[in-house]
Amino acid sequence: MLAHEFIRNALLVATAIAVASGLIGYFLVLRGQVFAGDALGDVAFTGVLGAAAAGLNLTLGLLVATVAVALLIAVIGGRAPADDVTIGVVLTWVLGLGVLFLDLFNAGAAGGSEGAIAARALFGSLFSLSAAEARTGTMLAIGVAVAIVAIGRPLLFASVDPLVARVAGVPVRLLGALFLVALGVDAAVAAKAIGAVLLLGLLAAPAGAARRLTASPGAGIALSVAIAVACVWIGIALSYEISVLPPGSAVILLSALAYLAASLIAALRHRIGGRGRGAGASGADGRLREAAAGGAVEGGSR
Amino acid sequence: MPMAGAIRWQTALTALEPGDELARRRLGRGAAMSPHLSPDLVSDAQQLLAYTFMVHALIAASIVAVMAAVTGWFMVLRRESFAGHTLSVMAFPGAAAAILAGIPVAFGYFAFSGGAALVIGAGSVRRGRGGGVQAALTGTVQAAALALGFLLLGVYGGLLESPTSLLFGSFLGISATQVVSLAVLAVGVLAFFALVGRPLLFASVDGAVASAHRVPVKALSISFMVVLGLTAAAIAQVTGALLVLALLVAPPATAMQLTPRIGVSLLLSILTALVTVWLGLGLAYFTNYAAGFFITTVAFTIYLAARLIGTLAWRPRREMVGPRPPSKADGLRHASVEG
């Protein structure tokens, strides 16, 4: 399997995306911004089609579109808490624009390729990336992962308890904006590989699974990344063996299975533990809060 | 020349088997059809209604708009837009699975959206869970649904190679049977709200107080989720799976920007939804671009305008009352408690 260059390319870029998405996803779930992640994926779809319709460089078009919308969400969300109505209205309009671009592209092209480009933009084309595309994607994804690790500690604090963090001198709004930009870059990279509308699965499922299994932020982040990477590897292998199974779908369905498994484990553990429900959950949140605040204070005193 | 295009289109449609709905849908988008818009509104309307498919589309879209406006109103109030989007997206694997199994597509829509509604609804009533984890479940269901739909399309191959018709819809292939079934469903959905609208409103604005008043909050929220799923499945037949949310979220959000009164707000929501689909379909018919683009753009534009008006109208009071304007939910809370 590894003898094929396209498999090596796919593994390389998908692993980098999985690491970045596992990291981002954990914070996304923690911050209650999963819907924003969904929206940025859809923006990536429209970005691909817009660039294709205008005949521009796809990677550049994508990056510009997702980062611009990420900043827009950051600016709107900076004053009020994330508003699902605003995101919902903008998200569908962006998708509608994508449909227009699809029509325009179709009118410009010889025809017949409309379905193909839409399918590639929506569901990714992991196995048909060029070596150059794979390299750019990998570097961008690694950059995102490094950036998240670098701002991880204050970001965790700002996510868990924004008020206290602000008082402690953490630049909460700046961190939120940086985080969304990182998400935008991740969405742009993942749109080509995993698929614009499937990225959501890689963001939400491993992180959700990790959150169900552990309350400790360090272990949770590590678990989220590990699950994402495992899903990507197994998914690519499965897709290679089963020709009808598209790689993006394989990865996302595995992530969903991982989430299901984690929920079952959590439920089982809960039954064995047999203690009060509400107490367990709020206790977990409390521990998270303590860990975040403690970590930030340590980081500051160092 | 314009007529020639329309006639070509019409023959393409009639040449198909009556049951071959998906082929119709595929033909529907991007097919040549070039009527022309004139200042004469009567002539425009005559052109719009000249073809059966357009009459079907307009009726179906109107039915769906009313359902969307009412169900969406409660969805916006309950802040469940993300769940609404996910339930809409379920229509995609639903339709793909139905085609694969050789059963009518509508069954697939309703089965999948209804099933997902139960999963999400059951997940959301569990206590002791943060909103983030609930959103992670919703997001996982959504992405898995899209992945499954794409996989099923690959398994089927052939006609369905392109996912665009299912995802972005085609209002042009709606049959008379479909219109009737949508109407029946709409009556059911409206009856649901007529029956439990008031307790649902109470439970939505203040779950804790409603619980204390022995309102069955859990049962209400699961059954609402199922109604949302069925509505989404119905809308998906007109707009396509990915664009359902435009009709579910924008008209109610528009109405809530403009008035805190429940009855007025619901009526305004219905009116906005109807105007959105009529304008959207009309523009698509006359310009030959995708209806999905026009419907979402009209919805977005109206919402922006309402938001602007809402902001201007609230400003003077904001200075008097304090840092935040009283939210629309506050007005509703008073109204529902009084009621």
Side-chain angles (χ1 to χ4, degrees):
Chain A
M1 178 175 128
L2 288 173
H4 298 287
E5 203 204 337
F6 74 92
I7 291 286
R8 287 199 304 271
N9 282 341
L11 274 174
L12 189 71
V13 71
T15 307
I17 291 171
V19 172
S21 304
L23 279 167
I24 290 183
Y26 188 84
F27 288 103
L28 205 63
V29 171
L30 196 63
R31 297 166 67 85
Q33 284 183 326
V34 181
F35 200 20
D38 190 4
L40 281 174
D42 296 338
V43 170
F45 161 71
T46 300
V48 171
L49 293 179
L56 297 171
N57 181 327
L58 287 189
T59 315
L60 202 66
L62 255 176
L63 271 176
V64 169
T66 52
V67 170
V69 175
L71 284 173
L72 188 74
I73 295 178
V75 169
I76 295 175
R79 271 171 290 151
D83 178 358
D84 67 331
V85 167
T86 311
I87 294 178
V89 173
V90 173
L91 173 155
T92 45
W93 182 60
V94 164
L95 281 174
L97 266 187
V99 179
L100 176 70
F101 291 152
L102 195 60
D103 263 16
L104 291 177
F105 176 78
N106 199 31
S113 55
E114 172 199 314
I117 188 162
R120 269 213 303 279
L122 288 165
F123 302 105
S125 50
L126 195 51
F127 285 169
S128 50
L129 295 176
S130 70
E133 279 176 325
R135 218 175 307 126
T136 323
T138 310
M139 283 188 313
L140 281 171
I142 291 176
V144 167
V146 169
I148 293 291
V149 170
I151 62 168
R153 210 144 243 203
L155 181 63
L156 184 67
F157 192 13
S159 308
V160 175
D161 204 334
L163 278 180
V164 178
R166 186 169 298 159
V167 174
V170 177
V172 175
R173 278 189 70 170
L174 180 68
L175 282 172
L178 278 178
F179 173 69
L180 281 171
V181 169
L183 173 64
V185 176
D186 187 44
V189 177
K192 274 175 145 177
I194 306 288
V197 293
L198 296 186
L199 167 69
L200 176 66
L202 207 53
L203 288 171
R211 284 275 281 156
R212 305 230 45 192
L213 291 178
T214 171
S216 139
I221 291 172
L223 201 57
S224 170
V225 171
I227 293 174
V229 171
C231 288
V232 160
W233 285 348
I234 302 173
I236 288 178
L238 277 179
S239 174
Y240 178 76
E241 293 298 331
I242 308 168
S243 62
V244 76
L245 183 66
S249 293
V251 170
I252 298 311
L253 290 173
L254 280 171
S255 311
L257 281 182
Y259 183 91
L260 187 68
S263 301
L264 288 179
I265 293 171
L268 220 71
R269 232 198 242 163
H270 187 82
R271 183 149 299 172
I272 294 167
R275 261 171 291 136
R277 268 187 173 174
S282 64
D285 270 0
R287 241 195 296 165
L288 192 60
R289 192 158 295 172
E290 258 167 51
V297 171
E298 260 171 51
S301 63
R302 228 180 276 154
Chain B
M1 217 27 222
M3 283 318 284
I7 289 165
R8 180 147 49 92
W9 199 91
Q10 188 71 349
T11 29
L13 251 191
T14 44
L16 290 165
E17 292 294 315
D20 204 351
E21 193 177 300
L22 266 141
R24 286 170 183 240
R25 283 169 183 253
R26 288 211 66 188
L27 269 172
R29 264 173 47 76
M33 172 181 70
S34 28
H36 54 282
L37 199 57
S38 66
D40 177 9
L41 282 174
V42 178
S43 133
D44 290 345
Q46 274 170 351
Q47 286 187 57
L48 257 180
L49 301 175
Y51 295 105
T52 332
F53 73 84
M54 204 59 207
V55 177
H56 282 172
L58 282 169
I59 299 175
S62 308
I63 295 172
V64 152
V66 174
M67 283 165 83
V70 177
T71 313
W73 192 86
F74 283 93
M75 179 193 83
V76 168
L77 188 68
R78 299 169 61 82
R79 295 171 196 279
E80 282 172 346
S81 302
F82 189 33
H85 188 43
T86 296
L87 294 180
S88 323
V89 163
M90 293 310 291
F92 174 53
I99 291 159
L100 203 57
I103 55 174
V105 181
F107 284 128
Y109 280 124
F110 291 120
F112 271 64
S113 294
L118 285 177
V119 170
I120 296 176
S124 70
V125 295
R126 296 253 186 84
R127 280 183 302 137
R129 273 215 217 162
V133 179
Q134 171 60 23
L137 170 65
T138 310
T140 303
V141 171
Q142 180 181 336
L146 285 163
L148 183 67
F150 190 54
L151 170 62
L152 290 174
L153 285 194
V155 172
Y156 187 83
L159 241 188
L160 272 169
E161 239 175 299
S162 153
T164 47
S165 51
L166 288 179
L167 287 173
F168 301 118
S170 163
F171 61 96
L172 297 171
I174 294 164
S175 64
T177 339
Q178 237 175 326
V179 172
V180 173
S181 69
L182 287 177
V184 171
L185 184 71
V187 170
V189 165
L190 293 181
F192 169 82
F193 287 113
L195 277 176
V196 305
R198 196 162 279 279
L200 181 64
L201 183 67
F202 194 11
S204 305
V205 291
D206 203 331
V209 177
S211 270
H213 280 75
R214 299 215 188 108
V215 174
V217 176
K218 273 189 196 182
L220 278 174
S221 62
I222 293 183
S223 53
F224 172 73
M225 202 52 93
V226 172
V227 169
L228 181 58
L230 296 180
T231 307
I235 306 169
Q237 297 178 37
V238 177
T239 63
L242 279 179
L243 302 180
V244 168
L245 191 66
L247 278 186
L248 272 178
V249 76
T254 303
M256 287 185 188
Q257 285 290 335
L258 297 177
T259 171
R261 287 198 208 159
I262 296 163
V264 183
S265 181
L266 271 169
L267 281 180
L268 207 58
S269 173
I270 293 173
L271 198 69
T272 315
L274 284 173
V275 169
T276 303
V277 294
W278 290 338
L279 266 181
L281 287 186
L283 285 169
Y285 183 75
F286 285 110
T287 60
N288 202 12
Y289 285 116
F293 165 68
F294 287 112
I295 291 180
T296 51
T297 303
V298 171
F300 184 63
T301 314
I302 298 180
Y303 172 73
L304 279 188
R307 210 169 150 158
L308 197 69
I309 297 170
T311 317
L312 293 179
W314 282 114
R315 181 147 295 163
R317 240 193 257 183
R318 181 185 297 185
E319 283 156 11
M320 276 158 47
V321 175
R324 281 200 63 202
S327 74
K328 278 72 192 178
D330 289 339
L332 291 173
R333 189 168 297 146
H334 291 306
S336 75
V337 169
E338 278 161 26

